[in-house]
Amino acid sequence: PDLTPKVLDRIRELLRAGKPQAALSEYRKRLRVVDQWPLDADDLQALADGLFKLKLWDETPPLLEEFIERFPARADAARIKLAAICCEIQNRPLAALKLLDQMDLENLPDSISSHFTQIRRKAERLLDE
């Protein structure tokens, strides 16, 4: 029997309940059973955002990377978050700048563009040190 819809409902339920760690663990369990079982863009984003809010810096980057790889046109928010983690948590300013360079600055909303500037400045400072 295909458990996919059930597992997906459970993941969404956990995300709505503010339990992204439990949702991630369901997702990983499912991936052990089904090698390729990609979440759709909204679910993947919700999962990554939930983990990001909880400052789970080890769990969040792989999901953000998957989002950027699979949904590049929708990935500016994910790029900003991943760049922030690279820069502020992992001390990888070059990786942060590389992510920022992939963004289309003309269409950035103001909320994102101020983050963009902050992270770029910080990454450049780290590189200068």
Side-chain angles (χ1 to χ4, degrees):
D2 185 19
L3 295 173
T4 300
K6 261 193 186 130
V7 176
L8 202 49
D9 287 344
R10 177 91 183 111
I11 288 173
R12 289 176 176 154
E13 217 173 276
L14 289 164
L15 289 172
R16 278 194 300 273
K19 298 179 177 166
Q21 285 166 290
L24 179 62
S25 135
E26 289 290 324
Y27 182 44
R28 285 184 175 153
K29 261 193 283 195
R30 188 69 191 141
L31 286 174
R32 281 199 292 273
V33 179
V34 181
D35 190 29
Q36 284 298 310
W37 188 66
L39 289 172
D40 69 26
D42 293 337
D43 292 323
L44 187 57
Q45 186 169 16
L47 183 55
D49 288 352
L51 296 166
F52 185 86
K53 280 192 191 100
L54 291 179
K55 299 179 166 48
L56 297 169
W57 306 132
D58 293 335
E59 290 87 345
T60 309
L63 295 169
L64 291 172
E65 286 163 4
E66 179 185 343
F67 191 91
I68 292 165
E69 195 176 300
R70 290 180 46 218
F71 309 104
R74 290 183 54 178
D76 281 348
R79 286 186 185 100
I80 287 276
K81 287 183 171 120
L82 188 55
I85 294 171
C86 286
C87 191
E88 293 162 21
I89 311 298
Q90 301 173 334
N91 199 11
R92 295 171 50 222
L94 276 175
L97 289 172
K98 201 170 131 189
L99 284 159
L100 297 177
D101 287 341
Q102 296 169 3
M103 295 175 63
D104 173 11
L105 299 181
E106 284 186 15
N107 302 318
L108 281 189
D110 291 343
S111 58
I112 291 185
S113 111
S114 66
H115 283 301
F116 176 92
T117 310
Q118 281 174 342
I119 296 164
R120 178 172 281 291
R121 283 198 191 119
K122 181 157 191 173
E124 286 167 350
R125 255 201 326 272
L126 283 172
L127 280 176
D128 289 343
E129 283 168 13

